[in-house]
Amino acid sequence: MTIDKWSGTNGDALEALKEYQRYLDSVFATLPLELQRFTSKVSLHDARMRHLRLAAGLLKLKLDGSGYQEETRSYFDRRFDLTYGGVDSLTSTADPDTGLPGPHGYGDLGYDEIEVLANGRYEHRMLFSTGIELHVQFNEFSFTYEDDKS
């Protein structure tokens, strides 16, 4: 996904989503169990970055997001902690002339994608409404989340 496709100025966001889903389906069985669980059980859509820390090859992200309860058809607050081990590349890019209206900072996380690289490596790409892209290359991954009790 790109900011141009997301905003509708260059390309078809729906087709990009379908293409990614086809890719994910093709590699799903090769993903570690935690990445399988992550890609199939939660959504980071509209989450907001609260904290990013990289030290000694370990990256920790904290995001405020939401969950959805099918029975009541309602959303609730959810806090995510993502941990990446064996990080050898972290890239964050921004274009000051591109972005969608919305919150400050990184903005709303619109889309994220996992790609299988060579030699047991993976890349997680995140695209925020401000146009900021965050790319993490890693070999270990875990995540937890906590739902708002109210």
Short mmCIF file of all heavy atoms in Angstrom, two decimals, residues 67-77 150:
data_model
loop_
_atom_site.label_atom_id
_atom_site.label_comp_id
_atom_site.label_asym_id
_atom_site.label_seq_id
_atom_site.Cartn_x
_atom_site.Cartn_y
_atom_site.Cartn_z
N GLY A 67 -10.34 -2.64 19.28
CA GLY A 67 -10.81 -3.97 18.94
C GLY A 67 -12.28 -3.88 18.60
O GLY A 67 -12.91 -2.84 18.80
N TYR A 68 -12.83 -4.96 18.08
CA TYR A 68 -14.23 -4.97 17.67
C TYR A 68 -14.90 -6.21 18.22
O TYR A 68 -14.38 -7.32 18.08
CB TYR A 68 -14.33 -4.95 16.15
CG TYR A 68 -15.74 -4.90 15.62
CD1 TYR A 68 -16.48 -3.72 15.70
CD2 TYR A 68 -16.34 -6.02 15.06
CE1 TYR A 68 -17.78 -3.66 15.22
CE2 TYR A 68 -17.64 -5.97 14.58
CZ TYR A 68 -18.35 -4.79 14.65
OH TYR A 68 -19.63 -4.73 14.18
N GLN A 69 -16.03 -6.02 18.87
CA GLN A 69 -16.79 -7.15 19.41
C GLN A 69 -17.97 -7.42 18.48
O GLN A 69 -18.88 -6.59 18.35
CB GLN A 69 -17.27 -6.86 20.82
CG GLN A 69 -17.93 -8.06 21.47
CD GLN A 69 -18.25 -7.79 22.91
OE1 GLN A 69 -18.61 -6.67 23.29
NE2 GLN A 69 -18.13 -8.81 23.74
N GLU A 70 -17.91 -8.56 17.81
CA GLU A 70 -18.93 -8.93 16.83
C GLU A 70 -20.33 -9.01 17.45
O GLU A 70 -21.30 -8.53 16.86
CB GLU A 70 -18.56 -10.26 16.18
CG GLU A 70 -19.42 -10.62 14.99
CD GLU A 70 -19.26 -9.68 13.81
OE1 GLU A 70 -18.12 -9.31 13.48
OE2 GLU A 70 -20.29 -9.31 13.21
N GLU A 71 -20.42 -9.59 18.65
CA GLU A 71 -21.73 -9.80 19.28
C GLU A 71 -22.48 -8.49 19.50
O GLU A 71 -23.68 -8.41 19.28
CB GLU A 71 -21.59 -10.53 20.63
CG GLU A 71 -20.96 -11.91 20.54
CD GLU A 71 -19.43 -11.87 20.44
OE1 GLU A 71 -18.80 -10.91 20.94
OE2 GLU A 71 -18.88 -12.78 19.83
N THR A 72 -21.77 -7.47 19.97
CA THR A 72 -22.42 -6.18 20.25
C THR A 72 -22.22 -5.18 19.12
O THR A 72 -22.75 -4.07 19.19
CB THR A 72 -21.88 -5.58 21.55
OG1 THR A 72 -20.46 -5.35 21.40
CG2 THR A 72 -22.14 -6.48 22.73
N ARG A 73 -21.43 -5.57 18.13
CA ARG A 73 -21.11 -4.68 17.00
C ARG A 73 -20.58 -3.34 17.50
O ARG A 73 -21.03 -2.27 17.08
CB ARG A 73 -22.29 -4.50 16.07
CG ARG A 73 -22.73 -5.77 15.41
CD ARG A 73 -23.87 -5.54 14.45
NE ARG A 73 -24.28 -6.77 13.83
CZ ARG A 73 -23.85 -7.21 12.65
NH1 ARG A 73 -22.99 -6.50 11.97
NH2 ARG A 73 -24.27 -8.35 12.17
N SER A 74 -19.61 -3.43 18.41
CA SER A 74 -19.07 -2.20 18.99
C SER A 74 -17.54 -2.28 19.07
O SER A 74 -16.97 -3.36 19.19
CB SER A 74 -19.66 -1.96 20.38
OG SER A 74 -19.32 -3.02 21.24
N TYR A 75 -16.93 -1.10 19.04
CA TYR A 75 -15.48 -0.99 19.17
C TYR A 75 -15.13 -0.69 20.61
O TYR A 75 -15.94 -0.12 21.36
CB TYR A 75 -14.95 0.15 18.28
CG TYR A 75 -14.99 -0.20 16.81
CD1 TYR A 75 -16.10 0.12 16.04
CD2 TYR A 75 -13.93 -0.86 16.21
CE1 TYR A 75 -16.15 -0.20 14.69
CE2 TYR A 75 -13.97 -1.18 14.87
CZ TYR A 75 -15.07 -0.85 14.11
OH TYR A 75 -15.12 -1.17 12.79
N PHE A 76 -13.92 -1.06 21.00
CA PHE A 76 -13.42 -0.75 22.34
C PHE A 76 -11.93 -0.44 22.22
O PHE A 76 -11.28 -0.80 21.25
CB PHE A 76 -13.66 -1.92 23.30
CG PHE A 76 -13.16 -3.24 22.79
CD1 PHE A 76 -11.85 -3.65 23.03
CD2 PHE A 76 -13.99 -4.07 22.05
CE1 PHE A 76 -11.39 -4.87 22.55
CE2 PHE A 76 -13.53 -5.29 21.56
CZ PHE A 76 -12.23 -5.69 21.81
N ASP A 77 -11.39 0.28 23.21
CA ASP A 77 -9.98 0.66 23.20
C ASP A 77 -9.11 -0.55 23.47
O ASP A 77 -9.44 -1.41 24.30
CB ASP A 77 -9.71 1.74 24.25
CG ASP A 77 -10.35 3.06 23.90
OD1 ASP A 77 -10.61 3.30 22.70
OD2 ASP A 77 -10.59 3.87 24.82
N SER A 150 -13.25 -0.59 30.84
CA SER A 150 -14.48 0.18 31.11
C SER A 150 -15.57 -0.09 30.10
O SER A 150 -15.48 -0.73 29.14
CB SER A 150 -14.18 1.66 31.13
OG SER A 150 -13.51 2.09 29.97
#
